[in-house]
Amino acid sequence: MTDTPLISADELREGLDGVTVLDVRYRLLGPPGAPEFTAGHVPGAAYVDLDTDLSDPPSDPVDDRGRHPLPSSERFIAAMQRAGVGLEASVVVYDDWQGRAAARAWWLLRHHGHRDVRVLDGGWAAWVAAGGEVETGRVEPAPGDFHGSPGSMPVVAADRLLDVPVVVDARAPERYRGEVEPIDPVAGRVPGAVNVDTGRNLDNHGHFRDAAELRALYAEVGATPDVEVATYCGSGVTATHDILAMEVAGVRAALYGPSWSGWVADPGRPVERG
């Protein structure tokens, strides 16, 4: 297992032949990633669709699984095999959203037992800035032999969330405070939650801050290695960015997968604002 969940563009350039690369370009309410992938990607990378490969279809209206339900193991493993992921090969994941989508793939692979997965720090922009070669067109990798079962990363269910000592909300501060809610039907937060929006994990260049800075950042809200910590966001995607940052900082955090969209699907659950 690697000793860090991140890899730099220079490191990837030097070791590209020995890794499986996954392109998970996706932006909330942004353009689709597949055309961006076809226009240019890391050589040999396989495109992974966050909505169809890293999520189960949501219900309509959204139920307590949230807007991006965690995928069934069958769906996820089939997607990883199509992308050429093997049991033993190192995997590097990147996106063009400063790691917010790539972290979802990283988390799911780790959750299903893959022990050598890293996120490209700075993503596609860092690769291009480092002079990385750009490949265009479609890619059809040889099928991989990855398989596994969930359970290697901690998760927390809704009925336990209020009992977790530190619950980190990864959304923007105005959504955390309940001042605006552009997506979900109810504004606010899980009572008692603290806020570390994903942008605070990054420096001015869109790279993750170093381990010492991240430890200090999360210690400010009580998220330390000796305390049980859980994390959520709007639909369970960007919360994994906070989990990745805490992993760099040496803090293990559980994911509440349904996140805010799943929490408010039950009108009986309490909501806090302000």
Side-chain angles (χ1 to χ4, degrees):
M1 181 178 177
T2 58
D3 58 1
T4 173
L6 300 173
I7 185 172
S8 72
D10 287 338
E11 288 173 317
L12 180 58
R13 287 180 66 196
E14 292 172 3
L16 186 59
D17 290 342
V19 300
T20 300
V21 182
L22 305 181
D23 182 312
V24 195
R25 271 182 271 189
Y26 170 93
R27 299 184 202 174
L28 184 64
L29 305 179
E36 299 288 335
F37 172 83
T38 303
H41 52 261
V42 173
Y47 179 68
V48 174
D49 189 290
L50 188 143
D51 285 325
T52 60
D53 296 331
L54 305 182
S55 308
D56 271 351
S59 64
D60 185 17
V62 171
D63 61 18
D64 60 6
R65 299 177 306 142
R67 284 185 282 107
H68 281 108
L70 291 175
S72 68
S73 290
E74 292 78 13
R75 174 186 294 272
F76 176 67
I77 290 169
M80 293 300 98
Q81 290 177 348
R82 286 195 304 272
V85 175
L87 275 174
E88 303 299 331
S90 299
V91 178
V92 172
V93 190
Y94 73 91
D95 62 21
D96 59 351
W97 198 22
Q98 298 177 323
R100 293 175 177 89
R104 170 83 162 207
W106 166 84
W107 187 91
L108 282 165
L109 279 163
R110 289 285 306 279
H111 190 46
H112 282 78
H114 202 300
R115 294 179 56 81
D116 192 0
V117 189
R118 286 176 288 176
V119 170
L120 176 59
D121 196 10
W124 175 244
W127 178 259
V128 173
E133 184 181 350
V134 175
E135 181 179 72
T136 61
R138 296 172 61 96
V139 174
E140 295 185 10
D145 64 354
F146 176 71
H147 63 267
S149 57
S152 294
M153 295 291 276
V155 296
V156 62
D159 60 2
R160 274 214 65 244
L161 192 59
L162 293 176
D163 297 325
V164 176
V166 178
V167 177
V168 179
D169 184 318
R171 298 174 301 162
E174 61 272 19
R175 290 184 72 191
Y176 164 79
R177 293 190 296 265
E179 296 168 355
V180 299
E181 182 43 66
I183 304 171
D184 295 309
V186 178
R189 63 178 176 271
V190 173
V194 295
N195 186 216
V196 181
D197 73 272
T198 55
R200 297 181 68 191
N201 296 325
L202 304 168
D203 64 18
N204 292 334
H205 303 288
H207 293 255
F208 278 84
R209 296 162 69 177
D210 67 32
E213 291 177 310
L214 289 170
R215 276 194 296 273
L217 170 65
Y218 282 94
E220 288 177 6
V221 298
T224 56
D226 58 338
V227 175
E228 184 184 3
V229 181
T231 311
Y232 75 92
C233 57
S235 67
V237 174
T238 61
T240 58
H241 196 271
D242 274 10
I243 292 175
L244 177 60
M246 282 188 270
E247 190 89 355
V248 173
V251 177
R252 177 58 60 95
L255 174 66
Y256 171 51
S259 286
W260 184 246
S261 58
W263 183 262
V264 299
D266 182 344
R269 292 186 182 127
V271 170
E272 189 172 71
R273 299 184 182 91

